[in-house]
Amino acid sequence: MTEIAMQLEGVACGYGARTVLANVDLSIPRGKLFCLLGPNGVGKTTLFKTMLRLLPLQRGVIRIGGEDVARWSDARFAKTVAYVPQAHTPPFPFSVIDVVSIGRAAHLGPFAAPGASDLAVARQALETLAIGHLAERPYTEISGGERQLALIARALAQQPEILVMDEPTASLDFGHQIRVLDHVCELTRRSKLTVVMTSHDPNQALRHAQSVATLGRNGAVFVGCPSAAITENYLFDTYGVRTQRVAVPGSRGVIVPAQQD
Ligand SMILES: Nc1ncnc2c1ncn2[C@@H]1O[C@H](COP(=O)(O)OP(=O)(O)OP(=O)(O)O)[C@@H](O)[C@H]1O
């Protein structure tokens, strides 16, 4: 039986009196990569922020390991769940290694500074993503893609059980897109890390995810294996484009725009 890392039951989320998604039920399997697909503005980030307790839950329950997280302390939640937000512009010129070391905060006592072992974990996270050479550079003076990689390194340095990533590869070059997702997939197998991410690329979900949730324009959620969830009908209904899946040996295939006559 599949073990569930995170469960959403009848979740409603939104801003103030406005509800963006009204009734979401999701079971996110432990030790797998779970990808949420959906059009712009449908509510993916809003749902993630609610799952991360950054927005108040309007209705429903969110469980981790079967426990209602509303009862968890912030410290326990921070040790368990790491978040890679969409790339942002930082206010202060911290060095990259300082930014990544912030990921260790959840493991330190109050007011404690990162020690040598924490810095080693942070450096390892940078090396893993092939950006060790940026360690001493000011975070404000690196490229958008490099900043995105640093935020992923910060989340990896946190050594969470659940890694939530909102469009983690949006500003990454082709090679980094594949390497970052290959690496987190490897962590799902090796360390039973659970990865929950959004993407605008159905091929990314096909290649890397074991489970996919598709959000329709009406807020309807379908969850299944990538091949069952990412159908030509879903892509047409959601994005208004005709596609076809082309068979590629050794993979789940590749989705391409359908030929226009
Ligand atoms: N801070 C906010 N206050 C009020 N409404 C917001 C806020 N942020 C987003 N929204 C609205 O909530 C809805 C869902 O936005 P959200 O950012 O969750 O969409 P998304 O699916 O992540 O989109 P995208 O793929 O474009 O990133 C949109 O209508 C958006 O305009």
Side-chain angles (χ1 to χ4, degrees):
M1 210 179 83
T2 311
E3 208 182 322
I4 301 303
M6 190 182 235
Q7 184 129 25
L8 278 61
E9 297 169 7
V11 163
C13 59
Y15 302 89
R18 182 177 170 226
T19 296
V20 173
L21 291 169
N23 189 16
V24 179
D25 292 308
L26 279 183
S27 292
I28 297 170
R30 184 166 130 78
K32 310 271 186 222
L33 192 149
F34 178 96
C35 187
L36 181 61
L37 292 176
N40 288 132
V42 77
K44 301 177 298 296
T45 301
T46 307
L47 184 64
F48 272 16
K49 287 187 171 165
T50 308
M51 287 159 61
L52 290 153
R53 312 202 310 181
L54 300 173
L55 278 176
L57 192 60
Q58 290 187 333
R59 204 182 55 240
V61 180
I62 298 177
R63 297 183 197 281
I64 293 181
E67 292 180 41
D68 182 351
V69 294
R71 302 209 178 94
W72 283 22
S73 66
D74 287 343
R76 182 173 178 199
F77 192 83
K79 259 190 202 164
T80 310
V81 185
Y83 179 40
V84 180
Q86 289 184 17
H88 69 298
T89 310
F92 302 114
F94 293 122
S95 67
V96 168
I97 188 70
D98 284 346
V99 169
V100 175
S101 297
I102 293 169
R104 299 303 300 156
H107 298 274
L108 304 174
F111 311 115
S117 63
D118 297 303
L119 282 174
V121 171
R123 279 195 188 276
Q124 180 57 42
L126 287 172
E127 293 299 340
T128 297
L129 298 174
I131 51 165
H133 59 284
L134 298 178
E136 312 307 332
R137 294 268 300 279
Y139 184 68
T140 42
E141 293 175 21
I142 57 176
S143 78
E146 289 169 337
R147 220 175 279 152
Q148 186 70 32
L149 288 166
L151 289 178
I152 296 169
R154 183 182 71 177
L156 293 177
Q158 200 173 324
Q159 297 178 321
E161 290 173 29
I162 301 173
L163 176 60
V164 180
M165 305 198 286
D166 198 356
E167 293 180 43
T169 60
S171 50
L172 301 187
D173 69 37
F174 183 65
H176 273 121
Q177 287 185 22
I178 294 172
R179 276 192 295 273
V180 163
L181 293 183
D182 279 351
H183 179 67
V184 295
C185 280
E186 169 66 18
L187 290 177
T188 63
R189 289 187 289 271
R190 192 158 27 101
S191 321
K192 277 279 175 196
L193 176 71
T194 301
V195 179
V196 187
M197 61 173 272
T198 59
S199 175
H200 282 301
D201 181 355
N203 281 316
Q204 221 171 44
L206 261 190
R207 176 179 156 89
H208 294 281
Q210 281 94 28
S211 184
V212 170
T214 52
L215 267 171
R217 287 195 181 276
N218 56 1
V221 187
F222 176 86
V223 185
C225 67
S227 304
I230 309 169
T231 61
E232 287 159 21
N233 279 343
Y234 168 74
L235 295 173
F236 182 68
D237 290 347
T238 306
Y239 302 106
V241 288
R242 297 268 179 214
T243 56
Q244 65 185 104
R245 178 130 58 105
V246 179
V248 176
S251 80
R252 298 187 182 119
V254 177
I255 294 164
V256 296
Q259 287 286 358
Q260 305 274 359
D261 292 325

